Amino acid sequence: MNLHALLDFGPLQQEFGTVMKAFWGTIRLALLAGIGSLILGTVLAAMRVSPTPVLRAAGALYVYVFRNTPLTLVLLFCSLGLSDTLHLQISDDPSTNGFWLATIGMTIYTASFVCESLRAGINTVPLGQAEAARSIGLTFTQSLRLIVLPQAFRAVIAPLGSVFIAMIKNTTVALAAGYFEASAQMKQMFDTYGGTIPIFLGFAIGFMVLTLPTGFFFSWLSKRLAVAR
């Protein structure tokens, strides 16, 4: 391949609409997996600090298993285990089914990291506040919901931002669950047009457009909502 072909921006121009559609798929996956992992991670964090030993053990087991399992294996389990073996079909459309399987895999994987970040935030809340809540008759759940978790979330906004940025980058392996997103589109263009510099730069800039504003937003939010001690 000559130098002109390596520096040719023509393929990006020809496939611009397809590339934008692929990045929209990445955004959809990241948004839904982010919301799902935040909800599941909060439940897991509550389990990890629960006064019930069984709940603490179950939460710890979940975190230890999924934090130490490669995301690709989790997504393959969703694809081969849930879909092919257990015949879980969320939609008759293969693309839609792959999207939801990838969302499930990304959610259960990322939730373990959300849980640990949030648990660290819970540990920053002074113990006296929880004791005061119990002294006025609040249950563990009420104390967690009204007093502990609001402060914990504000304390770990920046770490949660790092988790979500990592999750956006982790969408690049979503093809393992049968979902075609931006990185899969890049691979297809490499196969069609060759591994040219413009294609690589185009997709690298596309992912930076997603991750940099996310980082700036969480940084601003953490300063805005910082807990005064």
Side-chain angles (χ1 to χ4, degrees):
M1 183 179 292
N2 57 40
L3 182 60
H4 174 73
L6 282 174
L7 300 178
D8 183 16
F9 283 86
L12 276 178
Q13 296 174 349
Q14 296 173 26
E15 304 284 351
F16 182 78
T18 305
V19 171
M20 290 298 100
K21 183 178 178 180
F23 269 108
W24 172 238
T26 295
I27 294 171
R28 289 173 58 225
L29 176 59
L31 283 175
L32 284 180
I35 294 171
S37 61
L38 187 62
I39 296 171
L40 179 56
T42 302
V43 173
L44 289 169
M47 293 171 62
R48 301 251 6 222
V49 298
S50 169
T52 307
V54 174
L55 290 179
R56 289 201 307 269
L61 179 63
Y62 182 102
V63 170
Y64 293 152
V65 168
F66 285 103
R67 282 190 73 188
N68 294 285
T69 302
L71 176 58
T72 305
L73 292 184
V74 175
L75 293 173
L76 282 174
F77 171 77
C78 291
S79 177
L80 302 178
L82 297 181
S83 181
D84 295 352
T85 304
L86 300 180
H87 305 292
L88 175 64
Q89 296 293 326
I90 302 172
S91 171
D92 293 331
D93 179 21
S95 177
T96 303
N97 194 59
F99 169 75
W100 286 111
L101 290 174
T103 301
I104 293 171
M106 294 285 296
T107 296
I108 62 178
Y109 176 81
T110 308
S112 62
F113 294 91
V114 172
C115 168
E116 290 302 274
S117 295
L118 192 52
R119 189 167 72 97
I122 292 174
N123 290 335
T124 66
V125 179
L127 184 61
Q129 294 193 20
E131 293 175 345
R134 285 195 296 269
S135 70
I136 62 175
L138 294 182
T139 64
F140 169 76
T141 303
Q142 290 172 327
S143 174
L144 198 67
R145 178 170 58 89
L146 299 174
I147 297 173
V148 178
L149 280 180
Q151 295 184 69
F153 272 111
R154 293 174 65 179
V156 297
I157 290 174
L160 283 178
S162 297
V163 170
F164 289 135
I165 288 173
M167 185 197 64
I168 292 173
K169 293 185 287 187
N170 285 339
T171 60
T172 55
V173 296
L175 188 61
Y179 182 59
F180 195 88
E181 41 67 61
S183 66
Q185 176 63 32
M186 181 178 69
K187 181 181 182 303
Q188 185 178 79
M189 291 182 66
F190 279 162
D191 293 340
T192 303
Y193 301 101
T196 65
I197 294 174
I199 293 177
F200 171 79
L201 288 178
F203 280 89
I205 292 172
F207 275 101
M208 288 177 64
V209 168
L210 298 182
T211 56
L212 285 179
T214 302
F216 290 143
F217 171 74
F218 276 98
S219 177
W220 171 82
L221 195 63
S222 66
K223 295 176 182 177
R224 176 84 174 178
L225 300 179
V227 179
R229 300 296 185 189

